[in-house]
Amino acid sequence: MSFQVFGIPVSRGVAIGRAVLVNSSRVDVAHYFIAEDRIEAEIARAVSARDEVVRELETLKADLPSDAPHELAALLDVHLMLLHDDALTGATKQWIIERHYNAEWALSAQLEVLARQFDEMEDDYLRERKADLEQVVERILGALAREQGRNPVDAASVVQRDFAGEDPLLLVAADIAPADMMQFKRSIFHGFITDIGGKTSHTAIVARSMDIPAVVGTREASRLIRQDDWVIIDGDAGAVIVDPSPIVLEEYRFRQRQSELERAKLARLRHKPALTLDGEHIELHANIEMPADAPAAVEAGATGVGLFRSEFLFMNRDGELPSEEEQFVAYKAAVEAMRGMPVTIRTVDVGADKPLDRMSAHELRHEHVLNPAMGLRAIRWSLAEPSMFRQQLRAIYRASAFGKVRLLIPMVAHLSEIRQILETIKKVQQQLTDAGHAFTKVDLGVMIEIPAAAVMLPLLLRHVDFVSIGTNDLIQYTLAIDRADESVAHLYDPWHPAVLQLLASSIAHARAAGKSVSVCGEMAGDSAFTFLLLAMGLRSFSMHPSQIPSVKQRILRADAGRLSSYLADVLDSDDPQRSAEFAFAAYRTESKLQ
């Protein structure tokens, strides 16, 4: 039966495919595809783990005291029966053979299928056996985890599966951690659906960077959608259509083809200079997460990297921090891939929606923090861990010998932080000189993400070379909205007068001081804001490579000087969004008449 689920549209377009549910069990598991020649070995892993649990339960049963309740032995018998049931073990093998899932993923996928079957049973006793099934699966997953610890997975056996000729797959989850999103980033998924999240949650940001449709904040999608259901993601309307009728399916296939044609047209602009009609040159930089993203930025026509989110080098490492050498190699690779164009590296920004995994004693303990977005994150954490901070700075400065590198500090709010940063940089430069490492001048910049930083920007500008406005957090902190919380997502408003006032004043202060200023938040890549940001005087945008063509198209049609004449009316309006729509509609009409 066809039904619809609604959420927040965060990445436009249409995706059609079969649902793949992840992290559906109570135990979080790794999800990756295995190579063809690893199938038998992966099946053997699953069977070995199942057999280990069987032995454990048989030992428990044999060691039961004579006065143990009869129900306890009966419960162990039920668990043993489930372990030998082909509906669990046989079907798990099929997931491995047909989809090339790793054993943990295959097992959790089959748990999802069986759990739904138990939910639909009319008999109360049988329906309650789902808890037994979950306990059995958790035991097997535990055995697999112990085996994985003894025999770490070979990186060569993990592949990005090529599903050419097979049904497209759509990822469905309650939530997707940033580290997991990076695992899936270059995979075969054609779209994302999550129960929680907002327009600027990390899942949304990565989906946009992949240029694939996504809907978040659906609340119930992962519970209502089943493994392998046919699903349509309408990334424009924020709708998810499950088991669509043939007529609906054909309508969306047509829209999908139209969208692909539009993207092909925009792609022709990628190497055209971003010049406004009145001759203003606009820098269009790219936001990247890993060095491997840099070639895509060049291909998209980016004129540099405006934001290298270095924290992703720190994730998926079981709590181990990357060494200086490892970081240096990564930064150097990104710098060289950009072929002489500038690369702005942001120091590690863990916290809030990007915690490190398996946190050790010297790392953030988010489970004890009531509001991590307001806690020890970003530069606060770096200054609290001086040896880690110096290590990262050394790696960044060493990479500067191979191209133009700029250093960006996140979440600055105090002049005392600037002084500590400058002092640390001096120490790092001396350490590198003593060690004989080459480096060149690295411009220092700060992110304007906190209202306090925007208000005191004239003071900050005395100590830095450039500023970059992170609109995602600036909106969050200005409006006191958790941007990852779908329950308040409707209050997250980039058009709020306070947000626009802070943006306009920050850009004006930087330009008046002769310092470069860019916007690297999601507003930069949203073509709905391009005219407004140009009117404010912004001449440097940084966004995901996939967003560059649509923003460039707007820039090529803009007269920046004439647009600025509309700014005062928009900023003075009770309804800035509506005023901007009228003003820029009038601008387009006037442009056609002349």
Side-chain angles (χ1 to χ4, degrees), residues 426-442:
K426 285 183 181 178
K427 289 181 181 178
V428 163
Q429 290 174 330
Q430 187 60 54
Q431 290 173 344
L432 293 176
T433 300
D434 293 344
H437 289 301
F439 63 92
T440 61
K441 183 181 186 304
V442 174

Side-chain angles (χ1 to χ4, degrees), residues 59-113:
T59 300
L60 282 173
K61 184 179 178 182
D63 291 344
L64 283 176
S66 57
D67 59 347
H70 171 72
E71 291 81 5
L72 187 54
L75 179 61
L76 290 172
D77 285 335
V78 169
H79 285 202
L80 286 166
M81 178 189 70
L82 289 170
L83 285 164
H84 289 293
D85 193 333
D86 197 55
L88 178 63
T89 56
T92 297
K93 293 178 187 177
Q94 288 306 114
W95 286 111
I96 297 173
I97 294 169
E98 295 175 7
R99 286 280 177 83
H100 289 208
Y101 289 176
N102 63 304
E104 292 88 344
W105 190 354
L107 190 63
S108 59
Q110 187 56 21
L111 169 62
E112 179 68 29
V113 172

Side-chain angles (χ1 to χ4, degrees), residues 288-505:
I288 66 173
E289 279 85 31
M290 300 294 281
D293 299 332
V298 174
E299 180 61 24
T303 53
V305 169
L307 178 63
F308 181 163
R309 296 184 173 99
S310 67
E311 56 270 17
F312 289 96
L313 299 175
F314 290 67
M315 294 179 176
N316 277 340
R317 303 179 58 88
D318 293 341
E320 293 295 322
L321 299 177
S323 67
E324 176 185 328
E325 192 64 26
E326 185 179 348
Q327 291 186 65
F328 162 66
V329 170
Y331 304 143
K332 175 175 175 281
V335 169
E336 291 180 329
M338 292 308 295
R339 307 172 188 173
M341 292 181 282
V343 175
T344 303
I345 302 173
R346 181 175 69 185
T347 56
V348 60
D349 185 12
V350 294
D353 61 341
K354 292 172 289 186
L356 293 184
D357 51 349
R358 298 191 188 180
M359 295 172 187
S360 62
H362 67 284
E363 291 172 331
L364 300 175
R365 295 186 177 275
H366 290 275
E367 65 271 24
H368 299 148
V369 179
L370 293 177
N371 191 343
M374 298 286 192
L376 190 65
R377 57 166 294 201
I379 188 57
R380 299 171 180 178
W381 184 58
S382 293
L383 292 175
E385 296 287 342
S387 77
M388 180 283 300
F389 190 37
R390 289 193 299 271
Q391 185 181 72
Q392 181 173 34
L393 290 178
R394 285 195 298 269
I396 292 172
Y397 268 82
R398 287 173 60 190
S400 72
F402 298 88
K404 186 173 182 180
V405 171
R406 305 200 307 169
L407 176 65
L408 182 61
I409 308 297
M411 207 176 173
V412 168
H414 302 271
L415 282 174
S416 61
E417 292 168 336
I418 296 291
R419 295 188 185 102
Q420 285 181 267
I421 292 162
L422 291 171
E423 184 178 334
T424 304
I425 287 173
K426 285 183 181 178
K427 289 181 181 178
V428 163
Q429 290 174 330
Q430 187 60 54
Q431 290 173 344
L432 293 176
T433 300
D434 293 344
H437 289 301
F439 63 92
T440 61
K441 183 181 186 304
V442 174
D443 285 347
L444 174 65
V446 293
M447 290 194 74
I448 305 303
E449 305 172 277
I450 300 175
V455 171
M456 66 181 291
L457 186 53
L459 296 178
L460 292 175
L461 287 167
R462 299 173 188 174
H463 304 278
V464 300
D465 302 300
F466 70 97
V467 294
S468 185
I469 304 171
T471 52
N472 303 348
D473 273 336
L474 183 62
I475 297 167
Q476 170 174 250
Y477 293 130
T478 301
L479 303 182
I481 301 298
D482 183 347
R483 59 191 177 97
D485 185 349
E486 76 281 359
S487 64
V488 293
H490 63 289
L491 298 174
Y492 185 94
D493 182 13
W495 289 100
H496 193 286
V499 172
L500 299 187
Q501 292 286 350
L502 287 175
L503 259 175
S505 66

Side-chain angles (χ1 to χ4, degrees), residues 224-250:
L224 298 173
I225 300 173
R226 304 168 184 249
Q227 291 280 2
D228 264 12
D229 274 350
W230 274 103
V231 173
I232 295 172
I233 298 177
D234 184 339
D236 299 305
V240 176
I241 304 166
V242 183
D243 193 21
S245 67
I247 294 175
V248 170
L249 191 60
E250 186 51 41

